[in-house]
Amino acid sequence: MPVIPPERLAPLQSNQNNIRNFTLLAHVDHGKTTLADSLLATNGIISSKLAGTVRYLDFREDEITRGITMKSSAISLFFKVISQNREKATENDYLINLIDSPGHVDFSSEVSSASRLCDGAFILIDAVEGVCSQTITVLRQAWVDRIKMVLVINKMDRLVTELKLSPIEAHHHLLRLVEQVNAVIGTFYRGELMNLDETEEEASDEGIYFSPEQGNVIFASASDGWAFFLDQFADFYEKKLGMKSSVLTKCLWGDYYLDPKTKRILQAKHLQGRRLKPLFVQFVLDNIWAVYNSAIVERDLDKIEKIVKTLNIKVLPRDMRSKDPRNLLLAVFQQWLPLSTAILLTAIRKIPCPIDAQKDRALKVLKTTPHFENVDPNIATAMSHCKANKEEPMLAYISKMVAYSERDLPHQKRRQLTAEQMRELRQAKLAGSVENSVGSLSINENEQTNESKENLENRGYEEEEEKDVFVGFARIYSGTISVGQQVYVYGPKYDPANPDEHVTKVTIESLYLMMGQELFPLDTVPAGNVFAIGGLAGIVLRTATLCSVPGGPNLVGVSQQMEPIVRVAVEPARPYEMNKLAAGLEMLNQSDPCVQIAAEENGEHVIMCAGEIHLERCLKDLRERFAKIEIQASQPIVPFRETTIAGPDITAKDKETPVGFVSTSVASGGIQIKLSVTPLSSDLVNFLLNHEKTIESFMHNISKKGKNGDNDCSDVQKQKEEILSSEDFVISIHKLLSEASPDNNIVEYLDSIMSFGPKRVGPNILIDKTGLMKTVRQESDGSRLIPFDLGEYIATAFQISTQQGPLCAEPVQGICVSVESIEIENAEKDNELLTIGNPQIPGQVISAVREAIKQGFLAWSPRLLLAMYSCDVQATAEVLGRVYGVVTKRRGRIVDEEMKEGTPFFVVKAVIPVVESFGFAVEILKRTSGAAYPQLIFHGFEMLDENPFWVPTTEEELEDLGELADRENIAKRYMLNVRRRKGLLVEQKVVEKAEKQRTLKH
């Protein structure tokens, strides 16, 4: 194919009806990048024979090494469609903006960044593996973003070569596969109906499901370069069968049969016992299976020649004689059923152009933005109709910032010569007029023509360090953006209700057309296009909204699919390079939408990532691209949670005093506080964890200080949880408490809730049973202390205690702290220690209450909660035992196991602790010889039912375990490891019963 230069693509951006913006979404290793290669081959970017092996859009070194995509990358393609009418043939040139996205769960944020910019998505599914965990994730992302979806059932060749299915068996397998995908879509639709308000109309489910006869399902094998949709075969058999193409398309899928005698199409109920093949098998699969059987299974070249002659295609003799059967398959299929034609034609037919897409999506997207009612109506109208006039308000959304090396920018690169320019240059050199030819071609070749002087001078200069430049990955929704134009940049916290805050006015420095790793400069970009924008590195951190007028909407509403769960502390190998590390961390934070950077109180720099592979990529980028220094990273830091339960090992110190009751006094005396700590039920804890915004609203309503009520407006609209009213919230807590313990007296004091914790929205409750801390200070109280003055200090102690638990200073969940009584000496004589002016009172009260909460917590049976991964593994029966062995070794447990119908694969679902998961994927790959690959998704926290302070006490335990309890206490090991890392006190004997000192002589 001839190379399509970028100069030819730029003019196509102005014809919005002929633009298609779509992304490729799939589970890891389901063939996205391989399919993209075939599309790139149509523009001559890579050879058609190398398509599927080059993986052109995976240009990072670690992507090539691992064989998976880690970063979304975009490229623009040219596609010409020739329509044959009765009168004449018409040609239409289309601009295809393609975004390839990752499939690994660690890089889910890249998927959301890509789908927000597009109007459609091709969902790829492995024909053998079927619907996997990440498939459901990307389907949900496409559903939420309201983009048109097309299903691509990829790797159809595996049904022939691996599973060795017959065409009829493959037909039944494909029917089940489409049903599985539609079942997932159905759950999204039903979930949306359940969340509708009474005032909202019920949306129709028409057109949301995948059906091959509707043209939104493609069958493909990206590695062998072929794909088709039913219309292609319907057009092919239209004349032979004497039927209309539209009728044949509807009958080619499902249980429809052709009567060989009458040439009529029959349904299954009319077969009358005859064994006929379905039309899809007879006219489609039988032909494809014949090619595979002749080329690979039987290697019958005579039959291949007959097939080639029947299809009226040309296959070179060297391809027929090739020892590699893939060369023969490519030669046949790329002419018979070219993959690029099926994909791009379906994109043009089924994925809407920007005008139609924004007409359906724009208002739905705008209504989810904060304070949409304050947005200028002209902007909403221009966005809905995708108006590209320069007079219209310009609105664009930056999805993420991408780091490019400065040498990769267009103005830093030498101009690439075309074939004609190189031919002219060669002729000029032969004629001896190099200087004139270079001048006429306007090519800057000074360094080459003046080798004797300038090259020697350049060798004398030291090479400057490569610098990384951040470029915004963006989509323009209305108007036209131009170089030199002044625009407003709205930050993520921008609110149209306060249009003067979080707004910066900038001048556009550069615009680019994205061509994979390369950028092509542009002067203007009209509405409906995906593009890159430069010069915003110091202004935009990750995402932003650009608008040419003030008062526009805030489009930054992309929610992260996966919260960072794995942390490491980093430091430079040479301490004097700390400034470079800090600058590198800022650049890493800007380039990756999922990573989080934090500076701890002890001075450590911490990187928080989504998983192990994400962590490795971040550390590699930090060392080699951003900081460019040697970095030392700690062992991965995994979060824990602390809780306490009413276990069988509880022993009350005093029979008259209930468990968890503590009485404490401040150091200076005169103040005595009695409180009790009781565990909460798991149902109530989960309820509180799922209603953080409700807790925030509840505490704001009962707060007497009347803090700013606009704090949570934008967050509430972004949050998908249901916001309960204060009355419903208290009723729900009352019900859950009553179900867990009917005789629990906490129920009576729910109107006296002082705070939740930690961070005032956590799953712990502070209750004032005394009611004294509600009594506001009166003038008659003078300067003496009253319980109202201590309320803030007790709440602060509660927040600190729940943020840093007594076991290993990790957050606490599932406790209720009740203040039973507060006694302050009511001395008539002047006591300066018990006045509101005493600066020692706050610290003493906080310290005393913290210690009391700790004692009350430990009086019950403490437990650690481990962060858990949900693990999905597909494996054959031969390696299933090895998968089980690795999961068990990592202290995981198998939750479910089922065999995929029609395949030799078992789907194993397990949960394993995050702290034990490092190296898990590599170990499974080694033990199974690459036959199984796990997908790890954060599952939540799960209690480890083991007391970290347990020691054997009874005669049976001592006899079974020994005096030293030789069986390791796993909870204690985890607790001590965290305490050592944090520098906390660890009470553990390093040497036991050492009889003598060992020296080198011994």
Side-chain angles (χ1 to χ4, degrees), residues 222-451:
S223 59
D224 291 338
W226 62 268
F228 68 89
F229 50 90
L230 293 187
D231 286 354
Q232 290 175 281
F233 281 92
D235 294 339
F236 182 76
Y237 287 107
E238 182 179 12
K239 294 182 180 179
K240 290 187 177 182
L241 298 177
M243 300 180 184
K244 289 184 178 181
S245 175
S246 57
V247 175
L248 195 54
T249 300
K250 295 178 181 179
C251 299
L252 273 177
W253 182 254
D255 293 332
Y256 293 96
Y257 305 85
L258 180 68
D259 190 331
K261 295 182 180 179
T262 62
K263 300 296 182 182
R264 295 179 62 184
I265 294 176
L266 307 175
Q267 292 183 345
K269 60 184 178 181
H270 298 133
L271 289 180
Q272 298 177 352
R274 288 180 292 177
R275 288 190 172 183
L276 299 179
K277 293 181 179 179
L279 290 178
F280 186 72
V281 175
Q282 184 178 354
F283 293 143
V284 180
L285 295 185
D286 277 350
N287 296 325
I288 294 173
W289 259 241
V291 176
Y292 275 99
N293 289 331
S294 303
I296 297 179
V297 181
E298 300 171 358
R299 194 63 179 172
D300 188 346
L301 296 182
D302 293 335
K303 195 171 182 180
I304 282 289
E305 289 180 357
K306 292 180 181 178
I307 293 173
V308 168
K309 188 176 181 181
T310 304
L311 295 175
N312 195 22
I313 58 177
K314 294 181 180 180
V315 178
L316 296 176
R318 69 166 180 265
D319 292 329
M320 295 287 289
R321 297 190 300 267
S322 176
K323 294 181 180 180
D324 185 1
R326 185 174 181 272
N327 292 336
L328 182 55
L329 287 175
L330 285 174
V332 174
F333 280 124
Q334 285 184 348
Q335 296 181 68
W336 178 31
L337 299 171
L339 182 144
S340 57
T341 302
I343 296 294
L344 295 178
L345 278 177
T346 304
I348 291 170
R349 293 179 179 182
K350 294 299 175 182
I351 293 179
C353 66
I355 295 176
D356 296 335
Q358 290 183 203
K359 191 180 298 181
D360 296 334
R361 293 175 59 207
L363 285 179
K364 294 178 182 177
V365 171
L366 287 174
K367 286 179 180 178
T368 62
T369 60
H371 289 104
F372 163 64
E373 63 277 3
N374 294 335
V375 176
D376 187 351
N378 293 328
I379 298 177
T381 303
M383 182 179 178
S384 299
H385 295 86
C386 194
K387 296 181 179 179
N389 300 330
K390 291 186 177 181
E391 295 78 16
E392 299 293 337
M394 189 280 298
L395 183 66
Y397 168 67
I398 297 178
S399 178
K400 66 173 184 173
M401 300 296 285
V402 185
Y404 279 85
S405 176
E406 194 174 24
R407 65 179 181 181
D408 290 336
L409 297 181
H411 65 272
Q412 295 287 343
K413 283 189 171 186
R414 291 181 183 176
R415 182 180 171 188
Q416 187 176 359
L417 301 181
T418 63
E420 295 180 0
Q421 289 174 331
M422 287 190 289
R423 195 179 301 112
E424 291 180 14
L425 184 61
R426 180 174 177 274
Q427 292 174 356
K429 283 185 177 181
L430 292 175
S433 56
V434 180
E435 294 180 0
N436 293 335
S437 65
V438 174
S440 63
L441 292 171
S442 302
I443 300 169
N444 187 11
E445 296 288 346
N446 293 333
E447 294 181 2
Q448 295 182 3
T449 56
N450 301 324
E451 289 180 357

Side-chain angles (χ1 to χ4, degrees), residues 179-246:
E179 288 175 1
Q180 290 173 9
V181 181
N182 285 332
V184 176
I185 297 294
T187 59
F188 298 157
Y189 176 70
R190 288 191 296 272
E192 196 172 84
L193 290 183
M194 293 175 64
N195 293 329
L196 285 178
D197 296 335
E198 296 179 357
T199 57
E200 295 180 342
E201 294 184 4
E202 182 177 323
S204 172
D205 62 348
E206 184 180 356
I208 67 172
Y209 296 108
F210 297 110
S211 180
E213 61 266 27
Q214 293 180 5
N216 59 0
V217 177
I218 296 175
F219 304 90
S221 172
S223 59
D224 291 338
W226 62 268
F228 68 89
F229 50 90
L230 293 187
D231 286 354
Q232 290 175 281
F233 281 92
D235 294 339
F236 182 76
Y237 287 107
E238 182 179 12
K239 294 182 180 179
K240 290 187 177 182
L241 298 177
M243 300 180 184
K244 289 184 178 181
S245 175
S246 57

